[in-house]
Structures are given as structure tokens and as C-alpha cells.
């Protein structure tokens, strides 16, 4: 399936945890071992980092910066990822 084929459903699947990894698999955007989690806008995206395995049953979350192409550590767990986005300090 082409990326363009998937993008036609973006309005329906904008926050879908399955949509983003499929799109990345087609486009080859993320390095192997990163699983798209949340793409809120065109400035950043968040990924599960499975490259080093589970750490206490969790994959760390990385933030990708579209402006400079860098990946940085964002949270040690999915719960901390959600807490950081929902309850910013």
C-alpha cells in the first residue's frame, strides 16, 4: 500500500496507534525499532523506542524534532508520557 493510500484516511485515523506505524513503514521515516505513538503536528512526533528492549516492562518514549531531525528522550514509560502531555508543569 502506498503512503498516499493511507493518508486519505488521516482525518479518520489521525490519532490511531496503528495508522502512524503503518505510515512510517511505508515511508521509511523512523529508524528500525521505533514505533510511532503520537504525531500531534508538523513540529514533533513521539515514538516507542524498542531498540534496547523493555526496561521494567516499558519502552522509553522518544521525541522527534522535525525542525532539526533529532531524537531525544522524552519519558521512561507510557504513563509518564501521558502525564507529561496531560499535566505539563
Amino acid at each position: 500500500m502506498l503512503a498516499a493510500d493511507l493518508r486519505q484516511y488521516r482525518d479518520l485515523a489521525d490519532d490511531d496507534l496503528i495508522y502512524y506505524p503503518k505510515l512510517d513503514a511505508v515511508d521509511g521515516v523512523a529508524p528500525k525499532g521505533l514505533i510511532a505513538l503520537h504525531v500531534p503536528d508538523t513540529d514533533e512526533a513521539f515514538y516507542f523506542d524498542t531498540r534496547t528492549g523493555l526496561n521494567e516492562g516499558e519502552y522509553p518514549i522518544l521525541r522527534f524534532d522535525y525542525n532539526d531531525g533529532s531524537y531525544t528522550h522524552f519519558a521512561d514509560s507510557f504513563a509518564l508520557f501521558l502525564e507529561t502531555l496531560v499535566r505539563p508543569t
Side-chain angles (χ1 to χ4, degrees):
M1 181 175 278
L2 298 174
D5 295 334
L6 289 172
R7 286 194 183 102
Q8 69 180 326
Y9 300 108
R10 181 178 174 125
D11 289 342
L12 300 174
D14 199 29
D15 293 325
D16 191 315
L17 290 175
I18 304 301
Y19 171 78
Y20 290 120
K22 282 186 177 182
L23 190 59
D24 273 351
V26 170
D27 288 345
V29 174
K32 187 173 182 164
L34 298 187
I35 300 171
L37 170 63
H38 180 53
V39 183
D41 54 35
T42 58
D43 293 333
E44 64 184 355
F46 297 92
Y47 293 86
F48 286 112
D49 185 359
T50 67
R51 298 174 297 181
T52 58
L54 292 171
N55 182 13
E56 296 184 18
E58 295 277 355
Y59 290 119
I61 310 296
L62 298 180
R63 178 187 174 272
F64 176 70
D65 185 327
Y66 282 104
N67 294 316
D68 64 15
S70 67
Y71 288 90
T72 55
H73 180 270
F74 187 80
D76 289 327
S77 69
F78 183 66
L80 289 174
F81 165 76
L82 290 176
E83 188 172 318
T84 302
L85 289 182
V86 174
R87 296 184 200 145
T89 55

